């Protein structure tokens, strides 16, 4: 159980206080507020306090993420606070969370996914164009190896350069200077910030498959806090949980991270979970891409008695109230697809990509 924090008002009424950790950026605050609003509706008698802090990834702004070599760039400080009982739960973008969490932590809920695709944001002077129609040698900003690898192959007439900073900073760099003709950002973040009008083009899977977990929010808790785990588990969106479990299992099996170009695309259709996964060389010239599917039918879900037990953590996620058979099938799908790509030479492509990135 967590150390309970309670406050007492003048009338002697005792209110439970739950402290929610988040990064300080505007987007992180908006995402955290949206989760807290949902929890407040479900638990009107609980007081939720938001504790915002800066992370290593927020502080190092002059280096590409893939070069820093730290797996928990945007999560370590938040997890330290969770470990010290300074906060009771933490809201993250799921794509920031490694596939293996530190001992004692788990993802207690994965909320319904926003559009996971990437979006093109053009410099105001190019506002009526798209990537295809930008002039030869136009510079496009992205700090993601995954995006650059796919887009270099798809749009060979363009040049790609690193751009760092939070959403506000990157948009400012685009608008106020002439360094970039366009930048690539996650559509989900732009939508949550209310900047949908800046999206010139949504990149579908044929142009650019997305990052593992992109567009989904995750709530991380202490694995031993069964009451908090129960509280946040009602926020789980079953399809999103299963899609992200398959994606994370695929990435974990490939031993990928942000220092190698790995991309995915998932969908749930007619009780089938489809997972497309791909690996790329840094310049996109070499790639492997395959699709597999599995049944996630919940016919026997009623018979399954969920165990409130941290032992049912799968790729860092403890998804109470989601069919355990479906979770197992999703994880197996990710592992099987990883094995298929490894059998075709994925390890060699990723090893070279990692070495070249380290040497940059």
């Amino acid at each position: 159980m967590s150390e309970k924090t309670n406050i007492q008002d003048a009338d002697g009424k005792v209110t439970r206080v739950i402290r929610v950790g988040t990064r300080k950026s505007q987007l992180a605050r908006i995402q955290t507020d949206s989760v807290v609003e949902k929890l407040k509706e479900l638990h009107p008698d609980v007081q939720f306090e938001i504790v915002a802090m800066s992370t290593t990834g927020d502080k190092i702004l002059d280096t590409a993420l893939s070069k820093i070599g730290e797996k928990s760039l945007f999560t370590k400080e938040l997890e330290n606070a969770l470990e010290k009982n300074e906060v009771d739960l933490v809201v993250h973008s799921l794509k920031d969370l490694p596939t293996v969490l530190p001992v004692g932590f788990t993802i207690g809920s994965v909320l319904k996914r926003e559009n996971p695709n990437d979006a093109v944001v053009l410099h105001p002077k190019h506002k009526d164009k798209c990537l295809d129609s930008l002039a030869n040698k136009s510079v496009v900003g992205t700090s993601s190896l995954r995006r650059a690898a796919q887009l270099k192959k798809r749009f060979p007439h363009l040049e790609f350069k690193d751009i760092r900073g939070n959403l506000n900073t990157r948009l400012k760099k685009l608008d106020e200077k002439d360094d970039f003709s366009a930048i690539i950002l996650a559509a989900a973040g732009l939508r949550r910030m209310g900047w949908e009008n800046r999206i010139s083009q949504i990149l579908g899977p044929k142009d650019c498959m997305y990052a593992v977990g992109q567009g989904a929010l995750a709530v991380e808790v202490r694995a031993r806090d069964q009451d908090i785990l129960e509280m946040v588990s009602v926020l789980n969106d079953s399809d999103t949980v299963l899609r992200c479990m398959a994606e994370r299992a695929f990435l974990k099996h490939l031993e990928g991270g942000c220092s190698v170009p790995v991309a995915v695309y998932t969908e749930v259709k007619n009780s089938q979970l489809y997972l497309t996964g791909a690996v790329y060389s840094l310049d996109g010239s070499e790639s492997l891409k395959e699709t597999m599917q599995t049944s996630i039918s919940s016919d026997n879900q009623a018979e399954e008695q969920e165990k409130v037990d941290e032992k049912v953590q799968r790729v860092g996620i403890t998804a109470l109230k989601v069919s355990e058979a479906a979770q197992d099938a999703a994880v197996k799908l990710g592992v099987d697809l990883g094995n298929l790509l490894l059998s075709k030479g994925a390890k060699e492509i990723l090893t070279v990509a990692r070495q070249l990135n380290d040497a940059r």
Side-chain angles (χ1 to χ4, degrees), residues 139-325:
V139 177
V140 178
T142 174
S143 56
S144 158
L145 297 180
R146 171 190 58 81
R147 290 170 180 151
Q150 293 180 83
L151 296 174
K152 279 174 187 172
K153 180 83 186 281
R154 173 70 181 79
F155 303 98
H157 68 294
L158 302 175
E159 291 188 359
F160 294 87
K161 291 198 175 157
D162 281 336
I163 184 167
R164 281 290 320 280
N166 60 36
L167 274 186
N168 311 55
T169 308
R170 280 182 272 177
L171 280 173
K172 202 172 176 189
K173 283 180 182 174
L174 172 70
D175 292 345
E176 295 181 4
K177 296 180 179 176
D178 272 337
D179 297 352
F180 299 99
S181 297
I183 58 176
I184 312 297
L185 299 167
L190 289 162
R191 286 182 166 181
R192 289 180 184 130
M193 291 284 276
W195 295 339
E196 207 162 355
N197 63 326
R198 288 305 306 267
I199 297 176
S200 307
Q201 182 181 359
I202 293 280
L203 296 170
K206 288 196 172 107
D207 290 330
C208 190
M209 296 203 306
Y210 41 81
V212 166
Q214 185 161 312
L217 298 182
V219 181
E220 187 179 17
V221 301
R222 290 179 288 269
R224 69 176 186 270
D225 287 355
Q226 294 192 0
D227 55 336
I228 301 271
L229 195 51
E230 278 285 346
M231 177 185 280
V232 302
S233 70
V234 294
L235 302 178
N236 273 319
D237 176 73
S238 185
D239 282 0
T240 304
V241 166
L242 298 173
R243 289 170 64 190
C244 291
M245 274 189 174
E247 293 169 16
R248 286 169 66 83
F250 171 69
L251 182 67
K252 182 183 177 187
H253 204 68
L254 291 175
E255 296 177 352
C258 66
S259 61
V260 288
V262 174
V264 293
Y265 173 78
T266 48
E267 62 179 332
V268 173
K269 217 165 36 180
N270 303 325
S271 297
Q272 292 284 313
L273 171 60
Y274 296 83
L275 169 64
T276 301
V279 300
Y280 303 88
S281 58
L282 287 192
D283 64 359
S285 61
E286 280 189 275
S287 64
L288 286 169
K289 180 167 142 188
E290 295 289 345
T291 302
M292 293 178 80
Q293 71 190 77
T294 190
S295 169
I296 49 164
S297 168
S298 53
D299 298 340
N300 60 346
Q301 195 167 347
E303 298 163 25
E304 289 190 22
Q305 188 57 47
E306 295 293 352
K307 304 174 195 74
V308 184
D309 187 336
E310 64 186 276
K311 292 191 188 74
V312 297
Q313 186 181 109
R314 296 168 178 85
V315 283
I317 302 171
T318 304
L320 309 182
K321 304 177 174 60
V322 177
S323 160
E324 292 202 348

